[in-house]
Amino acid sequence: FTLGRNKSRCDVLMPLTPRQSHITRLHGRVMLDGIQLMRMGTWGLESYALENVAQELLGTGKLIRTPDDRVEEINRQYREDKEALARYNLEDCRLVYEIFKKADLLNFAVERSRLTGLPLDRQGGSVAAFDFLYLPRLHREGFVAHDTGANAEPITSPGGYVMESKPGLYENVLVLDFKSLYPSIIRTFYIDPLGLSITEGEQVEGFLGATFSRDRAILPGLIKTLWAARDGAKRDNNSALSYAIKIIMNSFYGVLGSSGCRFYDPKLATSITKRGHELITRTRDFIQDLGYEVIYGDTDSVFVLVGENPEKDPREIGTEIAESLNDWWTNTLLEEMSLESHLEIEFETHYAKFFMPTIRGSQKGSKKRYAGLITLENDEFEIQFKGLESVRTDWTPLARRFQQELFRRVFLGEAYTEYIKEIADGVLAGEFDKELVYKKRLRQKIEDYTKNIPPHAQAAKKLGRAVRWIEYVITVNGPEPILDQKSGLDYPHYLDRQLAPAADALLECLGDSFEKITGKQMEMF
């Protein structure tokens, strides 16, 4: 394994504690971890395993796709079919290479390194990146920074504002977003470590008693520079640079709220998040004064109900509301605080149909869980799911597919009763057994599960060997691993615990329920 530029072998540094990872170094070369690079961005994939990323980005996958028996198949190929094993390994390498190309990860790493001063292979490092950008500017102002840990304030800042939702099934819901909310708050309200320490001159009020200097602030100017650079990168179609700048700007809030940062002060992070709370609530009030209902809000966005049969195209309404809001905030901040607004609200999405569920077992609206139908060109459509069962990997493939099709039918006004009966009948008849498999990761060693052992750990114990992921089913004798299944499936479990929860939140809005529709099937057991 002599891959070093000086023909040396790689060095493998063993972890000092169980929480640390192995570190491999090649002399004269940089090694980039594709998983970590993608996690830094906003890909939002369900899993960053090679198989899943390849399927999502490339539409293809590994040559051996079953994780639980992959080792056995590799050993078999080594013994019996070495050419197949070579093809498997080469395909893995090709997939990684194609993912790097498709996601432009190499250029992203280079641009990030140029912006932050961090080595190409440095993972994380947001605090160090902030120091790299901020400290030289602080020195030019004639100041030095205190060391990490100098501020031991135990206060934690609140997170983003999440509005109480109004559950239901709606028509024509608009989503309006604040563009880069936290960076624009920093820039507009002069939130800055140096500005916090300057007490003379004109001040801008923050929260927790904080005030910020209008004349000696660094961060607002830094964000202005980065913002202009990102706009330039977009014009030049340099997506890697634009992406890197976005990640850096969005990290500033988290850095200032981290006790590992030398500039940590609860007044800084709180002055950002509490200002965000104020912006969202006052934006909601403004929209409702226009005659529209806001049914939900989350950190930097509001969901506006237009309703049935609007007088004009909902997209046109969304654009008009966004323009009115931008003008209103510009005038309001100038009048109330003599501030130039750098806030920008955009009309982002029009959901022709929209569903907001209740918290299970309650009439209270849930948060960060919804589904909506977006109409595309040529009469095509797309259904977006957020936080519901169909986008959660800990639900069975059948439950996810079932929910997606049920929502499609309801959103498009198609009949759904016979479909639900057909799926329930199929489960009881054993037609969907391959789609009733749970897949879950074990977060600790099998022997460490001793009390209240969850189903996936029970299945792993029955398998009798160490695994990171377990595929299992619920049988009449409890959880059993797919690779050593001995009992028949517990079909009522799947009806009660998978299909019914996936359907009932939506059906309740229609005065219906899974049990009502499938009553006869349930009585059979």
Side-chain angles (χ1 to χ4, degrees):
F1 198 55
T2 55
L3 297 182
R5 293 186 69 177
N6 60 354
K7 305 300 181 184
S8 63
R9 288 178 176 269
C10 70
D11 295 328
V12 179
L13 309 182
M14 302 301 289
L16 299 177
T17 69
R19 297 180 66 87
Q20 291 180 333
S21 302
H22 290 74
I23 297 175
T24 308
R25 291 207 174 107
L26 286 171
H27 296 286
R29 302 194 189 280
V30 172
M31 288 185 291
L32 299 177
D33 188 323
I35 292 176
Q36 294 300 329
L37 283 173
M38 296 194 80
R39 284 188 185 278
M40 285 180 198
T42 54
W43 289 93
L45 300 178
E46 293 180 358
S47 165
Y48 290 90
L50 179 58
E51 169 69 16
N52 187 69
V53 177
Q55 292 289 353
E56 291 278 351
L57 269 67
L58 309 175
T60 187
K62 297 164 72 75
L63 295 185
I64 303 175
R65 297 185 179 179
T66 50
D68 284 339
D69 60 357
R70 186 176 293 148
V71 174
E72 285 81 357
E73 178 60 15
I74 288 172
N75 287 331
R76 186 198 68 78
Q77 290 184 1
Y78 179 75
R79 293 190 305 268
E80 304 172 10
D81 192 352
K82 288 185 171 61
E83 285 190 10
L85 181 59
R87 285 194 297 271
Y88 167 74
N89 288 317
L90 288 171
E91 181 64 9
D92 271 14
C93 296
R94 190 190 70 81
L95 291 174
V96 172
Y97 178 72
E98 293 297 332
I99 288 169
F100 263 75
K101 282 174 55 180
K102 181 82 172 182
D104 205 17
L105 294 180
L106 179 57
N107 284 328
F108 169 68
V110 170
E111 297 293 2
R112 177 177 177 271
S113 181
R114 290 175 56 196
L115 279 170
T116 64
L118 298 176
L120 270 177
D121 59 350
R122 172 77 179 272
Q123 308 298 340
S126 295
V127 171
F130 188 86
D131 279 353
F132 177 81
L133 292 167
Y134 195 89
L135 284 175
R137 291 168 169 82
L138 184 67
H139 296 160
R140 292 181 202 126
E141 290 288 334
F143 290 81
V144 294
H146 41 65
D147 201 357
T148 303
N151 190 335
E153 287 277 356
I155 303 171
T156 57
S157 63
Y161 180 74
V162 182
M163 196 180 298
E164 292 292 333
S165 67
K166 298 178 181 179
L169 183 60
Y170 300 102
E171 290 196 28
N172 294 315
V173 170
L174 311 175
V175 182
L176 279 72
D177 270 357
F178 279 94
K179 179 181 176 183
S180 298
L181 177 62
Y182 287 169
S184 64
I185 287 176
I186 292 171
R187 188 178 174 191
T188 298
F189 296 94
Y190 291 89
I191 297 171
D192 177 68
L194 173 60
L196 181 63
S197 68
I198 302 292
T199 56
E200 67 269 10
E202 292 190 51
Q203 303 283 309
V204 177
E205 285 192 17
F207 291 82
L208 293 181
T211 61
F212 300 97
S213 171
R214 294 174 183 254
D215 305 316
R216 302 295 297 273
I218 293 173
L219 261 189
L222 176 56
I223 288 177
K224 179 181 178 181
T225 301
L226 290 172
W227 207 301
R230 188 177 181 217
D231 289 341
K234 287 181 178 178
R235 287 193 300 271
D236 297 338
N237 293 318
N238 188 342
S239 58
L241 176 58
S242 173
Y243 194 43
I245 293 172
K246 177 182 178 180
I247 298 301
I248 293 299
M249 287 199 303
N250 287 340
S251 73
F252 288 168
Y253 156 70
V255 166
L256 295 175
S258 168
S259 59
C261 175
R262 70 179 72 246
F263 299 105
Y264 165 73
D265 191 312
K267 294 177 181 178
L268 291 166
T270 301
S271 291
I272 296 171
T273 54
K274 291 289 284 185
R275 188 68 69 184
H277 294 192
E278 179 187 56
L279 294 176
I280 288 293
T281 54
R282 293 188 68 179
T283 293
R284 174 199 60 198
D285 295 343
F286 177 86
I287 293 172
Q288 294 192 156
D289 286 343
L290 294 177
Y292 299 102
E293 184 179 7
V294 176
I295 61 173
Y296 183 56
D298 187 352
T299 305
D300 59 356
S301 57
V302 288
F303 292 65
V304 182
L305 176 62
V306 173
E308 300 179 37
N309 305 315
E311 295 181 357
K312 59 178 74 173
D313 189 318
R315 296 176 183 84
E316 187 178 342
I317 294 174
T319 302
E320 290 176 355
I321 294 175
E323 290 174 352
S324 298
L325 273 166
N326 285 321
D327 290 342
W328 182 76
W329 274 117
T330 296
N331 296 329
T332 298
L333 291 177
L334 189 61
E335 293 172 3
E336 294 181 356
M337 304 180 72
S338 299
L339 291 173
E340 179 185 356
S341 174
H342 299 288
L343 307 172
E344 184 179 349
I345 297 161
E346 301 176 307
F347 162 55
E348 183 191 61
T349 308
H350 165 228
Y351 291 115
K353 301 282 186 178
F354 185 79
F355 171 68
M356 177 67 72
T358 59
I359 297 173
R360 213 167 272 138
S362 166
Q363 295 302 310
K364 190 175 181 181
S366 64
K367 299 177 180 180
K368 299 183 183 295
R369 298 176 65 235
Y370 55 83
L373 177 102
I374 299 174
T375 304
L376 306 175
E377 296 179 358
N378 302 322
D379 294 327
E380 295 184 357
F381 62 88
E382 173 188 347
I383 298 178
Q384 292 183 349
F385 291 88
K386 170 81 171 181
L388 295 175
E389 291 77 7
S390 71
V391 290
R392 289 178 50 182
T393 55
D394 55 344
W395 284 69
T396 61
L398 179 64
R400 299 168 71 183
R401 178 170 70 83
F402 169 70
Q403 187 180 66
Q404 290 170 4
E405 175 61 16
L406 176 61
F407 271 73
R408 187 195 71 79
R409 289 172 180 252
V410 171
F411 281 166
L412 296 179
E414 298 178 3
Y416 59 84
T417 301
E418 289 305 315
Y419 171 71
I420 293 175
K421 290 179 179 178
E422 176 186 318
I423 295 296
D425 285 340
V427 169
L428 298 175
E431 297 174 7
F432 303 119
D433 286 6
K434 291 184 178 180
E435 293 186 84
L436 300 179
V437 179
Y438 293 93
K439 179 180 178 182
K440 199 159 187 178
R441 183 177 180 179
L442 285 100
R443 300 291 178 179
Q444 53 192 18
K445 295 179 181 178
I446 296 177
E447 56 269 23
D448 293 337
Y449 290 95
T450 55
K451 296 181 179 179
N452 299 320
I453 304 175
H456 69 291
Q458 294 178 41
K461 284 178 179 286
K462 291 178 181 178
L463 187 61
R465 59 181 173 83
V467 290
R468 291 182 61 192
W469 289 85
I470 183 72
E471 290 186 322
Y472 68 98
V473 290
I474 302 298
T475 74
V476 292
N477 290 314
E480 292 185 1
I482 281 293
L483 296 180
D484 192 23
Q485 181 186 343
K486 298 175 181 176
S487 310
L489 295 182
D490 181 359
Y491 293 126
H493 162 87
Y494 288 99
L495 294 177
D496 290 339
R497 301 292 181 87
Q498 288 284 293
L499 298 189
D504 275 344
L506 179 60
L507 293 178
E508 184 179 319
C509 294
L510 305 171
D512 219 332
S513 73
F514 185 83
E515 183 179 4
K516 190 184 300 183
I517 294 171
T518 62
K520 291 183 179 180
Q521 288 93 328
M522 300 296 289
E523 289 171 6
M524 293 171 61
F525 289 82

